[in-house]
Amino acid sequence: MEPVVSIQGLRKRYGHVDAVAGIDLEVQRGEIFAFLGPNGAGKTTTVEILEGFRTRSEGEVNVLGVDPAKGDAAWRNRVGAVLQESNAEPGLTVRESLQLYSGYYVEPRAIDETIALVGLEEKADTIGTKLSGGQRRRLDVALALIGDPELIFLDEPTTGFDPSARRTAWHVIDGLRELGKTVFLTTHYMDEAEQLADRIAIIAGGRIVAEGTPETLGGRNRMAATIRFTLPEGTGAADLPPELRALLAGEDGRVTLTTDTPLVHVHALTGWAIDRGIDLPDLDVRQPTLEEVYLELTRSEP
Ligand code: ATP
């Protein structure tokens, strides 16, 4: 099947600056794809080229089978975008805004169904400007969906949301997957990418520095695991058996061990502790978090 988004050798120069310095990417139909990177990495530039809002300097770009630089009205109807700035019409209610926007499309979605999809049923007759920030963002998503697009760009969709509003928004975005939509998400929140994305690409300094699933990005699944625990008063890391002492990575109240074979070493640790009647109440074992991997991959970039 043809990818929904396909980019080869994309470059964008502003004067002498390569804001996007030759990137290749593909996004498949039905995927939620997260595009991450530090400020100034080239995300907005890339997304705006894909949306047909910015010209490129070099490279091949194909979105839904069309070069966005040549996208006509029919192509534009197949693409939805939620930008950082709200699209809400001043003075109109949620329902009226959606009615207005639905008039722009040949085959719009049903209005009440779209309101329900973003969970704004109780606010359907409220003026857009009287909504909370999070509710306005949900209205923006509804406005992007009203034309029933195949591909939706979401630019930092939950910035400024409280934790429960973020969960609701995630639920809405997850629902788009069930509708068979393709989602191109930019975000600065690692937990958001981890929760939603089928695949992640990290851009830094205009280049893709890693691409993969949340579990495998940057070799995360192959990285050493960390075992952490607190020993009781009077016992220290020096009392551990030699095979565990060899893994010592830090002792600052809690002992930190790093290992490529966590199961074996947790077994050794718990066996040792039980033999001595030592409890390890805060024992935890984990792979590096997505945030740790991200910081490592983007560390040397400006
Ligand atoms: P953020 O996370 O801060 O939104 P971003 O990854 O979206 O950042 P871009 O907005 O794509 O980054 O910017 C990439 C680089 O291109 C930056 O160095 C920026 O200063 C530069 N840039 C962006 N737009 C222009 C422009 N119109 N003219 C000149 N330089 C620009």
Side-chain angles (χ1 to χ4, degrees):
M1 199 160 48
E2 189 180 300
V4 171
V5 174
S6 161
I7 304 176
Q8 278 140 20
L10 177 65
R11 244 171 227 283
K12 175 68 180 181
R13 285 192 201 92
Y14 297 110
H16 297 298
V17 178
D18 266 358
V20 177
I23 67 169
D24 302 321
L25 277 182
E26 278 196 354
V27 180
Q28 306 300 326
R29 186 165 298 275
E31 252 186 338
I32 298 186
F33 180 83
F35 199 37
L36 311 180
N39 293 138
K43 299 182 296 296
T44 307
T45 302
T46 305
V47 169
E48 290 191 358
I49 290 169
L50 296 176
E51 291 169 337
F53 295 143
R54 239 183 252 214
T55 58
R56 59 187 186 264
S57 307
E58 267 176 47
E60 296 297 316
V61 180
N62 194 294
V63 175
L64 295 168
V66 172
D67 178 344
K70 300 179 185 146
D72 59 6
W75 173 78
R76 198 152 286 288
N77 282 353
R78 298 167 65 202
V79 180
V82 180
L83 309 174
Q84 280 182 31
E85 277 165 32
S86 180
N87 296 331
E89 295 290 329
L92 297 188
T93 65
V94 167
R95 183 176 282 112
E96 288 165 349
S97 289
L98 286 162
Q99 278 163 347
L100 176 71
Y101 273 59
S102 74
Y104 301 151
Y105 298 96
V106 185
E107 287 181 64
R109 292 179 60 84
I111 289 173
D112 284 324
E113 190 189 296
T114 309
I115 291 174
L117 190 64
V118 300
L120 277 182
E121 294 99 319
E122 283 168 22
K123 298 287 172 185
D125 297 313
T126 301
I127 304 274
T129 46
K130 298 222 166 112
L131 299 173
S132 75
Q135 290 161 349
R136 204 166 313 154
R137 212 82 187 103
R138 278 192 248 169
L139 172 57
D140 289 339
V141 174
L143 292 172
L145 292 178
I146 194 70
D148 204 20
E150 291 164 55
L151 167 65
I152 299 141
F153 290 97
L154 296 174
D155 193 4
E156 298 184 26
T158 65
T159 297
F161 281 26
D162 72 41
S164 84
R166 293 183 70 213
R167 298 271 155 188
T168 311
W170 291 354
H171 188 67
V172 170
I173 296 167
D174 229 11
L176 299 179
R177 190 204 314 266
E178 276 147 40
L179 294 176
K181 308 293 182 195
T182 308
V183 177
F184 196 110
L185 169 78
T186 46
T187 182
H188 286 293
Y189 297 119
M190 297 302 134
D191 55 347
E192 185 157 295
E194 184 141 38
Q195 178 79 27
L196 292 175
D198 298 307
R199 231 150 38 81
I200 296 175
I202 296 181
I203 184 170
R207 291 193 165 77
I208 304 293
V209 294
E211 200 182 329
T213 65
E215 296 74 30
T216 61
L217 192 80
R220 180 182 177 196
N221 52 330
R222 299 189 304 273
M223 288 179 182
T226 304
I227 304 172
R228 281 164 57 85
F229 51 92
T230 306
L231 290 171
E233 283 283 325
T235 314
D239 299 312
L240 291 169
E243 65 168 313
L244 296 180
R245 278 205 311 269
L247 308 173
L248 190 65
E251 191 176 13
D252 55 354
R254 277 183 103 186
V255 179
T256 303
L257 309 179
T258 52
T259 167
D260 292 325
T261 52
L263 195 62
V264 170
H265 291 123
V266 167
H267 185 70
L269 174 67
T270 52
W272 170 83
I274 287 167
D275 283 350
R276 278 157 191 75
I278 291 174
D279 194 11
L280 303 171
D282 62 353
L283 173 66
D284 86 57
V285 186
R286 62 175 185 82
Q287 293 292 128
T289 64
L290 189 58
E291 181 145 309
E292 285 162 345
V293 173
Y294 170 85
L295 289 171
E296 183 64 27
L297 286 166
T298 56
R299 195 165 40 112
S300 59
E301 301 297 333

